[in-house]
Amino acid sequence: MPAAVSTQVLEALRIGVGFLWTAAWAIIMGLVVTSLVQVYVSKDRMAAVLGEGDVAGVTKATLFGAASSGCSFGAVAIGKGLFKKGAHVVNVLAFMFASTNLIVELGLMILILLGWEFLVAELLGGVILIAVMAVIVHLTLPENLFDQVRAELNDRDREQGVTEDPTCGTEGKDAYTLVTDGGETLKFCSEGCMETYQQQTAGSGGWRDELLSWGGWYKVGNQYRKEWSMLYTDVIAGFLISGFVIVFVPQWVWNSLFFQGDSLVASAENAVMGVAIAVLSFVGSMGNVPFAVALWGGGVSFAGVIAFVYADLITVPVLNVYRKYYGLKVMAYILGVFFVTMAFTGFLMEQLFDALDIVPNLAGGMTASEQTYFELNYTFYLNLIAFALSGFLLFVYRRGLGAPGQYRDPVCGMRTTCDGPTATHDGGTYHFCSWHCKQAFEETPGDFATAEPAADASANGHDHH
């Protein structure tokens, strides 16, 4: 590899990792807040209150979405569950948009990497976008088509034995089943959701009592781990791609794709092109924010950048999920509605901000290549705090402090029940959270057999610490 290319690759990595370092504390803190909301804000009646496509229904869908943050694919999967249960189409679309755009961690990331102007445009524009989308859907919705698709979706899932995860609303799997005291068999999408259900049914007391117990923090730690498992690939990919885009994409590419100037035509074209680039970028969820930084640094207008940020729900991989769930016609309808509303709202935000003279101007600022990312400043100390909090939550989860279960896995320390894998050593029976831990125990039982097989009763889910 030529020396010049090696230098460029290292610079791209420096910028990508630097962006990630700059925003790390905001991502972690946002996910902690999201985890708290997910654990302690009940969404049991969500589908019931989203049945009507009126103003109240759209408002509730938006609020529920903002409290149910996740990756683009998670939002689409939950949206499918709501649609099957009878939620109006406009409410499903509003829920999906809010759960990927009007969320704490994304807002903090936009604030740090792009500035307060983009944050205001994201929040205000998000509300306007949902309102415009609701009007378009009410004017154009092919009711018969969606009623037919809903019936076919329920019939197909019924024939295939598909059941919904009672925790998150996505499709349950045979590998994660649980029989309730009443004899009902429940299926979950993952072990994490099954644990969450067990915690919810075993929990007692209000959220204040929960947060004063190991059991309460175990729930938050479990949810925090689930949030990261959904987002980490998008986040890492987005930051790394942004570094390579900034370094390797020459300025003439942006100039040829996006009209230059302050005219209405240029603003509208930038907004449309911003959404089009998002569709083809394959980067969704929070990963598109650092990519947006690359676009902004390349001279793309305010309208183009904010429209790009809006458009994480219509990337090619997400469109393919719509096709699998609902068919080509519904996929095309969702793409058309979102594309028009996202481009229009991006254009509208630039015109509004231009009239208020608050469109940011980075002409005098440092470029990404000129910035120093790793310094002993407020970012360093905020990251230390965030990493410590993240480590605490993962430690509580990994050690199973307050987790439901009678036994403690001698390998990883997690609590487990008698339903999991077991092994016998020196006359004692040990219980494991997974086959992986059992295998590790059987390879060197002497390293782990000193652990007490039964969990300490004093560490139950509601003993205060």
Side-chain angles (χ1 to χ4, degrees), residues 296 360-367:
W296 184 238
N361 181 6
L362 298 184
M366 290 189 296
T367 65

Side-chain angles (χ1 to χ4, degrees), residues 21-84:
W21 170 258
T22 301
W25 69 267
I27 299 172
I28 291 172
M29 294 301 188
L31 289 177
V32 171
V33 173
T34 293
S35 300
L36 287 165
V37 172
Q38 291 280 68
V39 169
Y40 295 113
V41 175
S42 174
K43 296 180 285 296
D44 292 341
R45 298 180 61 250
M46 188 184 300
V49 301
L50 300 187
E52 298 297 328
D54 54 11
V55 175
V58 173
T59 301
K60 292 172 183 177
T62 302
L63 294 175
F64 278 133
S68 306
S69 67
C71 68
S72 304
F73 297 104
V76 173
I78 295 174
K80 172 197 171 189
L82 296 174
F83 177 69
K84 282 178 56 182

